[in-house]
Amino acid sequence: MSKTLSFPPVYKHEFQQASENLRQSLLLANRHKTPITPVNYAVWYEYVSGDNQALMNSIDTRLKKNEAITSEVTQYLYEKYVLMGMPERLNNTNNGLKLVVDNTLENLSKVEATASQCSQGLMQSQAQLETCNDIDELKTLVNQILINTQQISSSSGELKSELTRSTEEIMKLRQELESVKEMARTDSLTGLLNRGAFDNELQYLCSKGYSFSLVLFDIDNFKRLNDSFGHLLGDKVLQFFASLLKNQCNDIHLAARFGGEEMAMIFMHSSLEETFMITESIREKFSESRLKKKGSNESIGQVTVSAGISSYQDKDSPISLIERADQALYRSKTGGRNQVNFI
């Protein structure tokens, strides 16, 4: 089963596939003389699995130019395409928050020192007022009181301005954290939920025993399409199909990239018949589309999708639910493709 990009990375390969990926990864690591470190292995594993298209394109480009795939290169590829820059973004956000807190504490300390100094001055003025009988001395005391109050007012104003700036900075950092959080749940290519987020949602729904249906989609002959027109056009096909799923989503229904060219939808509070009708509508729209090559009016021909549906049954686990949907999908594939089946 393919992996969809997420952070942290989630792998769902079966034992046989994972073992084959291991064998091919070791061969490539030896061929390019890269030490078998966790980072190097992860990069080559992602490459041979065929799931991380951006990483594959980057390595293929270097290989075509006869560039060496050194440990420095794999470290760069690992950080950019496996970790997706997340550690750096989290570190920058953490440093930003620390700076805001440090500045706020420093400003509070300054205000506290000023207020303490002014308070002592006011207390002295109060004591002098009790024994003051001279008009000139009284004027001097009044001026000193004004100076102290102005210092407190100015210090308070500076603190207010600093707190306003700190609040604005915190809002920006919060937005960045929300972006990181959303990115950790979202497939970078399609904008749908990634596999990790989908698994969590499915586990939650099964644990609560809610009524819902699961649909698995698989784009027909996708490998042949990639081989004929290239991976970039294949990505466009995936994005277009994902847009059809998004059109059916709302605050209740969910769509996810299940892995590779497979996608999934969860329909909440929908009967099997309702789910079938919506799924059939998606299938028809996709089969009727005529996508074109980039920069050309030439159509790539008909592209179709097969689907399988299962509805939650009492005490279903995510595995049993997925297995039934997968069986229904298999019927659609073996029955001629471009159709919907349910179990």
Side-chain angles (χ1 to χ4, degrees), residues 239-252:
Q239 290 171 334
F240 174 73
F241 183 70
S243 71
L244 298 180
L245 301 188
K246 289 177 186 177
N247 290 338
Q248 298 297 332
C249 289
N250 48 38
D251 293 336
I252 301 177

Side-chain angles (χ1 to χ4, degrees), residues 5-25:
L5 295 185
S6 63
F7 180 82
V10 177
Y11 299 91
K12 296 289 182 178
H13 298 120
E14 299 295 340
F15 176 81
Q16 185 175 357
Q17 180 62 54
S19 298
E20 176 60 19
N21 289 347
L22 165 63
R23 186 186 69 80
Q24 294 185 37
S25 298

Side-chain angles (χ1 to χ4, degrees), residues 25-62:
S25 298
L26 293 178
L27 287 174
L28 285 169
N30 289 329
R31 183 183 305 166
H32 293 279
K33 295 181 174 58
T34 49
I36 310 300
T37 63
V39 168
N40 291 338
Y41 175 68
V43 169
W44 288 119
Y45 186 94
E46 293 261 346
Y47 179 77
V48 301
S49 69
D51 299 323
N52 196 327
Q53 191 60 53
L55 181 142
M56 292 168 61
N57 292 341
S58 184
I59 290 180
D60 287 340
T61 299
R62 285 176 167 82

Side-chain angles (χ1 to χ4, degrees), residues 288-305:
E288 292 170 358
S289 66
R290 291 298 180 268
L291 299 175
K292 297 176 180 179
K293 296 179 181 179
K294 185 177 180 180
S296 169
N297 288 323
E298 182 183 353
S299 171
I300 64 173
Q302 185 185 44
V303 184
T304 62
V305 67

Side-chain angles (χ1 to χ4, degrees), residues 56-92:
M56 292 168 61
N57 292 341
S58 184
I59 290 180
D60 287 340
T61 299
R62 285 176 167 82
L63 293 178
K64 289 178 181 177
K65 295 179 179 179
N66 292 319
E67 294 181 5
I69 308 297
T70 63
S71 294
E72 290 76 14
V73 171
T74 54
Q75 181 68 38
Y76 166 78
L77 296 173
Y78 179 75
E79 293 176 2
K80 182 173 182 179
Y81 298 113
V82 180
L83 298 184
M84 299 186 294
M86 283 293 190
E88 182 180 359
R89 292 183 67 180
L90 290 172
N91 185 59
N92 289 340

Side-chain angles (χ1 to χ4, degrees), residues 221-237:
N221 301 312
F222 188 72
K223 183 179 184 304
R224 187 171 65 190
L225 185 146
N226 268 338
D227 292 341
S228 300
F229 300 102
H231 291 289
L232 291 179
L233 191 137
D235 287 348
K236 294 297 182 183
V237 171

